[in-house]
Amino acid sequence: MRKPRGLRLALTSGGVVFAVTMALWAGASYSSDTSGDRASLQKKYQRPAEIPFPEGDTYSEAKSKLGKMLFFDPILSGSKSRSCATCHNPGLSWADGLPRAIGEKQAALPVRTPTILNVAWAEPLGWDGHFRTLEAVAFGPIGSPKNMNMPEPQLIQRLTAIPGYADAFHAAFGDGAITRQKIEFALATYERSIVSSEAPFDRWIKGDESAMSEPAKRGFDLFNGKANCASCHNSWAFTDGSFHDIGVAHGNDIGRGKLFPKSVKLRYAFKTPTLRDVARRAPYMHDGSVPTLNAVIDLYDRGGIDRPSRADEIKPLGLSANEKADLIAFLQTLTGQQEPVSEPPLPR
């Protein structure tokens, strides 16, 4: 795994400006000890001021600009009708709002489209974590006959035939032919710039007591205490980046267990999603099987399906109706203002 390396520069994504250098992500780990007051807990959720980029794919403006063009260009699909943004729609918090992703042939895919908010901090990727790096993701959907249905040689041929793309790749990478790796690097560079905007919770963390209601503050206490949500949804991005069986029905999909068939605990384990913008991203779970946040809270309150793979942290909670309402009030504070993202002019 490549070690994150920093650059300092100004970067705008969704109307929010961020400095890019070595991330403060590592300092945001969670402790299950909730005996401290809110102030001590708040420190664990402060947003990093920087976006990490790996040594092998450092940031450049030209590379990010090229990546954005590729991200929004339907030329990346076989029929030229679908782009990365078709499923990762900025107007839908970089997801698609569907229970299951839809491929080029309008057939439902096995899993729901995950948001790519804060994807710079999210490796490994995929609901089962089979993509080790962000760079490794791109040709999964692009090359899949059931998704974008675009063979690699044909895509490179298409891009090479367009003078505007030839110029953009030259600006980003210098002399040389367009290659799969250059496409992967450009897309990953742009995608790392997609960061959730400041939410009411962040203003509260910085000291604005009026940014959150009293029910939401009680919900924060529950989140870190009785409800035990923060055992997995920790740090400023509200995810541990790991994989757990939370006791939801999964049918024939055994999640990360496909990669580790001898592991009991990884059977039915799926990646912990970020809770940023969570109120805007229904339905929930890897397969979109839980329709609302209220239903999510009810699932955790029941403790899910009791089976050997179920995470040790998952157990019946005994939440009252008022406590559930407070948790929902808190989760709603994690949604930031949705800024419009302009689509770039595409080379032709």
Side-chain angles (χ1 to χ4, degrees):
M1 188 71 66
R2 292 167 295 173
K3 181 180 179 181
R5 176 188 177 191
L7 295 175
R8 183 175 295 281
L9 49 92
L11 185 63
T12 302
S13 176
V16 183
V17 178
F18 301 92
V20 180
T21 186
M22 184 172 289
L24 303 180
W25 163 260
S29 61
Y30 171 75
S31 168
S32 60
D33 179 10
T34 59
S35 60
D37 59 14
R38 284 177 181 169
S40 65
L41 284 171
Q42 285 174 307
K43 293 178 182 178
K44 302 178 186 294
Y45 293 96
Q46 294 185 34
R47 293 170 64 93
E50 299 91 16
I51 301 173
F53 287 83
E55 291 181 357
D57 191 12
T58 55
Y59 179 86
S60 77
E61 184 176 358
K63 200 193 304 182
S64 183
K65 183 178 179 181
L66 169 60
K68 186 175 183 180
M69 289 190 292
L70 291 168
F71 188 89
F72 284 94
D73 198 336
I75 200 173
L76 269 65
S77 66
S79 65
K80 299 184 180 180
S81 64
R82 298 172 57 78
S83 68
C84 303
T86 301
C87 288
H88 299 289
N89 186 334
L92 296 172
S93 293
W94 300 92
D96 59 13
L98 300 173
R100 303 285 185 93
I102 301 297
E104 188 179 52
K105 297 179 181 179
Q106 299 305 303
L109 301 179
V111 293
R112 184 169 67 94
T113 299
T115 181
I116 53 173
L117 281 173
N118 308 322
V119 74
W121 293 269
E123 295 173 346
L125 295 151
W127 286 109
D128 59 9
H130 66 282
F131 297 115
R132 294 187 61 194
T133 68
L134 183 55
E135 285 77 7
V137 174
F139 275 86
I142 290 173
S144 170
K146 294 182 179 180
N147 199 331
M148 296 175 76
N149 194 31
M150 184 73 250
E152 176 188 334
Q154 188 176 342
L155 174 58
I156 291 173
Q157 184 180 32
R158 282 185 182 181
L159 295 172
T160 302
I162 298 173
Y165 267 123
D167 292 343
F169 273 92
H170 182 269
F173 296 103
D175 293 337
I178 295 174
T179 65
R180 171 178 175 147
Q181 184 181 71
K182 290 177 182 179
I183 296 168
E184 292 171 336
F185 280 16
L187 281 167
T189 298
Y190 171 65
E191 288 163 358
R192 287 191 174 97
S193 76
I194 298 170
V195 180
S196 55
S197 60
E198 186 179 74
F201 173 76
D202 301 302
R203 296 194 290 275
W204 181 62
I205 288 292
K206 293 192 294 187
D208 181 1
E209 286 297 320
S210 66
M212 278 181 30
S213 67
E214 289 305 314
K217 293 173 188 176
R218 293 194 301 269
F220 175 76
D221 296 338
L222 286 162
F223 189 91
N224 289 280
K226 178 179 178 180
N228 201 30
C229 309
S231 63
C232 298
H233 293 285
N234 52 50
S235 80
W236 76 280
F238 291 89
T239 173
D240 61 0
S242 191
F243 304 84
H244 309 276
D245 172 14
I246 62 169
V248 69
H250 290 308
N252 295 324
D253 193 339
I254 62 171
R256 196 153 175 80
K258 295 192 294 288
L259 305 181
F260 298 90
K262 295 182 180 180
S263 171
V264 173
K265 282 300 183 183
L266 291 179
R267 190 174 180 85
Y268 303 117
F270 292 84
K271 182 151 185 162
T272 306
T274 178
L275 296 184
R276 289 288 178 170
D277 280 11
V278 67
R280 194 183 280 145
R281 291 193 286 104
Y284 303 100
M285 306 305 158
H286 76 286
D287 58 355
S289 60
V290 182
T292 66
L293 275 181
N294 296 84
V296 171
I297 299 297
D298 287 340
L299 169 68
Y300 282 109
D301 188 43
R302 294 192 305 271
I305 299 171
D306 186 2
R307 56 193 174 204
S309 58
R310 189 179 66 175
D312 296 338
E313 297 84 356
I314 303 298
K315 59 192 67 176
L317 299 172
L319 298 174
S320 69
N322 286 339
E323 287 173 329
K324 292 179 181 181
D326 288 346
L327 276 172
I328 294 293
F330 168 66
L331 292 173
Q332 289 172 337
T333 72
L334 303 182
T335 298
Q337 181 177 353
Q338 189 159 281
E339 302 286 347
V341 177
S342 59
E343 296 189 18
L346 302 177
R348 287 294 181 265

